Amino acid sequence: MIPVLIVLNAGSSSLKFQVFDIEGDTEPRLVWKGLYEGLGGAAHFIVRHAGGANLDEMSWTSGEEFGHEAALMHLISWLRQHQEGRTLAAIGHRVVHGGQAFSAPVLVDDNVVQVLEKLVPLAPLHQPHNLEPIRIVRRRLPGIPQVACFDTGFHHTQSDIATLFALPREMRERGVQRYGFHGLSYDYVSSVLKDYDPRLAEGRVIVAHLGNGASLCALKGGVSVATTMGFSALDGLPMGTRCGAVDAGVIFYMLREMKLTPEAAERVLYTKSGLLGVSGISNDMRVLRSKAATDVDAKRAIDLFVYRITREIGSLMAALGGIDGLVFTAGIGENDTATRAEVMAGLAWAGLALDDAANRTGGPCISSGTGPTAWVIPTNEELVIARQTRSVLGAMQARLAS
């Protein structure tokens, strides 16, 4: 039987999955990928071959109460019907926050779950949904090994100073520090830089993970030395619906003068701000681009997004002591030629020059001249989770065999 693993990424009403063959020592090989959406209401399931062709599709009515548990058990049943000589070896989970405790992927047990539950206040929009399928599998499929893979883990290489806030020491001791996120994405980009330009793998690179969630990471020799996100996934760049960096005094103003409850203020910062808040139209860059020529607020949202990116890149260049390469990745970074062009124009002072034709076709190299190079590299967080899950599974099997 060929061992396979499932990679899960759970949201509030969705469950994304990918299935990888992990036979032998080669790179995990994607077999199927799919999505459950509309969970808790009118749910929809679709699964595709690795090449993208549709394999199966199904829908449920809103009255069937089809939630995460039903989706997971349906997925297991579907896999058994299509296993074709395969056997499920493990499940790997994307978990946003690993806190101070976890700098590497970890085999899930009772203690791990307890620690991760304590981190929910640090990532309230993500952590509860990441933990839900872990609990379900532990309850319904207790014999299946599970591995938690963390978005914060990649940034544990940063110096103490880079993670420090200028706050009383006891706050640091209670976990208040800069963590950084999108680490699975940065891990992937770091791992493939050598395939695009071997010099970049050892050089000073800034990776721009630009999507509905957005951040930047400074890499030196492929290792994280600084990033724009901090204690929470709110910090740094403006995002689709999240505010990015904001003066802490604004929060006090919202609570005292505007009389918002903490919960209401949190909703504003996480779900009503960013591109959506500034534009008043949408958090979707494609929509904003289509309206920017005639709608001043849509243009203002885009301009703020680009301004903050270029400004923060300057900050990370200072942390690196210069720049050898810039990488665009994630939804906006990989697909929005206009954002890439505007960011590059804002960095002309640093020697970055755009190759317009290459940018229009998606690169991968989109720079010209003799200055720092710029690249478009599609990210693959699921493959990183598959790699990490197989590594932990292998270590567990080695311990059992010894």
Side-chain angles (χ1 to χ4, degrees):
M1 298 287 280
I2 299 172
V4 300
L5 57 84
I6 303 172
V7 169
L8 295 178
N9 185 355
S12 60
S13 60
S14 66
L15 183 67
K16 298 177 183 177
F17 66 89
Q18 294 193 7
V19 180
F20 290 85
D21 278 353
I22 54 169
E23 187 176 34
D25 297 325
T26 59
E27 185 88 313
R29 183 179 68 86
L30 179 64
V31 183
W32 301 301
K33 56 184 176 182
L35 167 71
Y36 293 86
E37 56 187 347
L39 296 179
H44 181 73
F45 162 73
I46 187 167
V47 59
R48 297 182 174 92
H49 291 286
N54 281 9
L55 176 59
D56 202 355
E57 195 166 357
M58 190 177 298
S59 294
W60 294 265
T61 66
S62 57
E64 292 184 73
E65 297 185 5
F66 194 88
H68 284 83
E69 183 160 352
L72 255 175
M73 299 317 296
H74 177 265
L75 175 60
I76 297 299
S77 175
W78 187 93
L79 289 174
R80 286 170 177 161
Q81 294 171 23
H82 296 79
Q83 60 186 15
E84 300 170 354
R86 299 181 176 92
T87 183
L88 180 59
I91 298 176
H93 300 265
R94 180 197 179 201
V95 179
V96 166
H97 219 304
Q100 296 173 328
F102 302 117
S103 60
V106 63
L107 188 69
V108 173
D109 59 19
D110 290 341
N111 180 64
V112 168
V113 172
Q114 290 173 9
V115 173
L116 296 180
E117 286 174 341
K118 292 178 181 178
L119 297 174
V120 167
L122 279 63
L125 265 66
H126 298 89
Q127 198 85 348
H129 308 306
N130 299 159
L131 294 179
E132 180 64 13
I134 291 177
R135 296 191 191 97
I136 293 168
V137 173
R138 283 169 61 79
R139 184 172 64 251
R140 299 292 299 272
L141 302 165
I144 300 296
Q146 298 189 85
V147 176
C149 305
F150 303 103
D151 263 324
T152 52
F154 185 73
H155 302 295
H156 274 253
T157 55
Q158 293 182 14
S159 69
D160 179 69
I161 292 298
T163 64
L164 197 62
F165 287 121
L167 293 169
R169 182 182 301 172
E170 57 265 29
M171 296 192 69
R172 169 75 171 221
E173 293 169 352
R174 294 189 62 176
V176 179
Q177 65 173 69
R178 297 183 63 85
Y179 291 99
F181 299 88
H182 293 138
L184 297 167
S185 176
Y186 295 129
D187 189 321
Y188 176 78
V189 172
S190 174
S191 75
V192 299
L193 281 174
K194 63 183 183 299
D195 300 328
Y196 291 85
D197 183 346
R199 295 171 300 173
L200 286 184
E202 300 302 323
R204 301 164 298 179
V205 178
I206 295 173
V207 183
H209 178 105
L210 307 178
N212 196 48
S215 67
L216 307 171
C217 182
L219 303 179
K220 184 175 286 187
V223 171
S224 173
V225 299
T227 187
T228 53
M229 279 185 172
F231 175 71
S232 74
L234 277 177
D235 200 10
L237 305 177
M239 295 165 248
T241 64
R242 284 173 263 168
C243 58
V246 64
D247 186 332
V250 173
I251 314 302
F252 299 132
Y253 184 84
M254 295 170 72
L255 299 177
R256 291 174 178 165
E257 303 302 321
M258 298 178 68
K259 308 301 182 185
L260 270 64
T261 65
E263 294 76 17
E266 186 175 65
R267 283 194 297 273
V268 170
L269 299 177
Y270 273 101
T271 67
K272 298 181 180 180
S273 299
L275 295 175
L276 174 63
V278 177
S279 70
I281 299 171
S282 177
N283 64 319
D284 190 323
M285 180 61 77
R286 294 165 296 186
V287 174
L288 298 181
R289 288 284 178 195
S290 71
K291 295 181 178 295
T294 57
D295 190 298
V296 65
D297 290 324
K299 185 177 186 305
R300 181 179 288 114
I302 293 170
D303 289 348
L304 176 60
F305 185 63
V306 171
Y307 168 74
R308 290 294 304 171
I309 293 168
T310 55
R311 178 171 160 175
E312 291 299 327
I313 286 175
S315 171
L316 294 186
M317 286 174 61
L320 286 169
I323 183 172
D324 301 310
L326 172 65
V327 175
F328 293 94
T329 195
I332 296 172
E334 295 171 25
N335 299 298
D336 189 359
T337 59
T339 293
R340 295 196 300 260
E342 290 165 9
V343 169
M344 290 286 285
L347 296 170
W349 61 272
L352 284 137
L354 184 69
D355 180 327
D356 288 315
N359 186 43
R360 286 194 298 272
T361 58
C365 183
I366 60 170
S367 56
S368 62
T370 59
T373 56
W375 302 82
V376 179
I377 300 179
T379 193
N380 194 337
E381 295 158 297
E382 291 80 10
L383 178 57
V384 171
I385 296 172
R387 290 170 175 169
Q388 293 183 356
T389 300
R390 184 173 70 173
S391 177
V392 171
L393 184 65
M396 180 192 74
Q397 292 170 340
R399 286 195 302 271
L400 292 174
S402 63

